[in-house]
Amino acid sequence: MASFSHSIGGQTWRFDSLKDVMAKASPARSGDHLAGIAAGSDGERVAAQMTLADIPLKHFLDEALIPYEEDEVTRLIIDEHDSQAFAPVSHLTVGGLRDWLLSDQADEAVLKSLAPGLTPEMAAAVSKIMRVQDLILVAQKIRVVTRFRNTVGLRGRMSTRLQPNHPTDEPAGIAASILDGLLYGNGDAMIGINPATDSIASICALLEMLDAIIQRYEIPTQACVLTHITTSIAAIERGVPLDLVFQSIAGTEAANASFGISLALLQEGYEAGLSLKRGTQGNNLMYFETGQGSALSANAHHGVDQQTCEARAYAVARKYKPFLVNTVVGFIGPEYLYNGKQIIRAGLEDHFCGKLLGVPMGCDICYTNHAEADQDDMDTLLTLLGVAGINFIMGIPGSDDIMLNYQTTSFHDALYARQTLGLKPAPEFEAWLETMGIARQRDGRIHLGDTLPPAFSHALSQLA
């Protein structure tokens, strides 16, 4: 294990290991302070960042932050590292990688071929020495395109997860939210419910309800009920119509164990989903959610900073060729991301690292009510992520999730981002919106129609 040092203005800062340099180089956030691993001053942080910039990328292959013998995520990262893909940048330092990523040489095709050659720790390291504009510039070069019943991630498009949560899983309440979201052009990434209960009977009923809506209106989208992967497997065994297989994941074996999962269980769920053959455009069918601080909250971070732990979760995700990966950036609370500034930075870091590693990144742009943040901060992050080429965001009635009790983005927010930035839904969903009379294309942008589609008028009368 190597030690490092750096001198600034006559003062020498010493770092015991690569893990120590990484933690102290991280932009300030409350979770790392809670863990006792953050830089003690701005001076120490700058020294760590300058030290990190001079470390060769090859060193990350020699010094594992979490020992190979102790952690199956580390074993996954090392065993599946593609040395041939890594070769074009293998001579660079972390600082050299930053400069190269910002250059014209690192275009979309080059970055796509590089992804299997980068470890999450390399991606996390370079993000720590990048400004916000750097994170945006590099991320917008990269497109990670996935397919199930439609195509998500194409340039010039931004999809949304329509999230019709209800505190009692009331079918009429869920249906009303789905209808509302569709009328605002939301739902192309998926229609996904966080269930109030994890009982197999309730989950199966929700899946059947969602499938009936999608089939009745011939919506080119996919459904998901965010239940534990073991419940999804049980639903598949019962023959229930399930599209996307969901699971929360983290960047260490111990953190994943706290979720009741392992890599072997994720593989089982992935294969169960494939067995249904429900995709019409492709076979990307896993939906993963992550979030900075999850490993620390489970006391499973091994002294690794929360942003690096988060990047390691993307190595877990990419093994199963997911349709969507969602960083729920501010959901855990101010103990891990204290205020709007930290949430904004974390969201951009997660998006950058995920895209660099070849993962189809979306973001739940959110905060809890006891965080030092507000909807203006979320508007800022939404706009920045839209510019950076985010694959998808959340769409929730009024931006207030009445079941999970946090603030996120609304149907209107997605409409704002699409109109302002000239972004469109997934192409198959865009065509459906026009066919249904919900939206029209004008001046290269999607605009909502002025009248209610006849097909939905009957649905509204039934809900009433």
Side-chain angles (χ1 to χ4, degrees), residues 146-414:
T146 56
R147 295 174 174 86
F148 189 74
R149 261 191 218 106
N150 59 23
T151 307
V152 170
L154 294 169
R155 187 169 298 278
R157 298 182 184 270
M158 183 189 75
S159 298
T160 63
R161 169 189 161 190
L162 202 172
Q163 188 168 316
N165 293 345
H166 193 280
T168 63
D169 290 341
E170 170 60 40
I174 292 172
S177 292
I178 292 174
L179 180 59
D180 190 20
L182 292 172
L183 290 172
Y184 279 100
N186 279 247
D188 52 332
M190 71 167 176
I191 302 173
I193 301 172
N194 295 86
T197 174
D198 205 38
S199 75
I200 184 65
S202 176
I203 298 304
C204 290
L206 289 173
L207 286 167
E208 289 168 351
M209 173 190 174
L210 291 177
D211 184 64
I213 292 172
I214 289 173
Q215 298 302 326
R216 175 177 179 178
Y217 295 106
E218 300 180 332
I219 310 171
T221 190
Q222 34 284 318
C224 184
V225 176
L226 281 65
T227 186
H228 194 270
I229 193 168
T230 53
T231 309
S232 293
I233 293 170
I236 292 170
E237 291 172 346
R238 293 188 179 197
V240 173
L242 184 148
D243 294 336
L244 304 186
V245 177
F246 166 78
Q247 184 56 51
S248 293
I249 58 172
T252 72
E253 179 179 350
N256 283 326
S258 75
F259 293 146
I261 63 166
S262 63
L263 298 184
L265 182 58
L266 293 177
Q267 182 69 32
E268 182 182 349
Y270 175 52
E271 292 174 359
L274 285 174
S275 71
L276 295 179
K277 299 179 180 179
R278 292 178 59 81
T280 57
Q281 302 296 318
N283 294 317
N284 303 115
L285 54 80
M286 301 299 285
Y287 173 55
F288 294 121
E289 287 194 343
T290 67
Q292 289 194 28
S294 59
L296 175 58
S297 67
N299 195 29
H301 60 104
H302 298 269
V304 177
D305 67 273
Q306 67 181 41
Q307 189 255 331
T308 301
C309 283
E310 171 71 5
R312 284 169 55 95
Y314 305 150
V316 176
R318 71 177 173 182
K319 177 175 175 59
Y320 306 102
K321 302 177 179 63
F323 184 64
L324 308 167
V325 176
N326 178 28
T327 170
V328 191
V329 65
F331 179 64
I332 303 181
E335 300 85 357
Y336 306 95
L337 294 170
Y338 179 71
N339 56 18
K341 181 179 177 66
Q342 292 187 11
I343 292 171
I344 290 168
R345 172 81 194 189
L348 293 169
E349 288 170 349
D350 294 350
H351 179 250
F352 163 85
C353 288
K355 294 281 274 299
L356 195 60
L357 294 168
V359 172
M361 288 304 297
C363 184
D364 191 342
I365 302 163
C366 63
Y367 64 101
T368 59
N369 288 318
H370 62 308
E372 290 293 322
D374 58 28
Q375 213 64 35
D376 284 345
D377 296 313
M378 301 306 104
D379 285 350
T380 299
L381 181 53
L382 168 61
T383 306
L384 294 174
L385 286 171
V387 174
I390 190 99
N391 277 30
F392 71 101
I393 63 168
M394 302 296 108
I396 294 181
S399 76
D400 183 5
D401 193 309
I402 58 175
M403 201 277 278
L404 296 176
N405 200 27
Y406 73 112
Q407 310 302 311
T408 180
T409 45
S410 71
F411 303 146
H412 302 75
D413 294 333

Side-chain angles (χ1 to χ4, degrees), residues 4 15-26 47-49 51-52 55 128:
F4 306 87
F15 308 98
D16 295 335
S17 63
L18 179 60
K19 178 165 60 177
D20 189 32
V21 175
M22 292 277 281
K24 289 181 167 58
S26 283
Q49 289 173 339
T51 301
L52 185 60
I55 295 176
K128 295 176 191 297

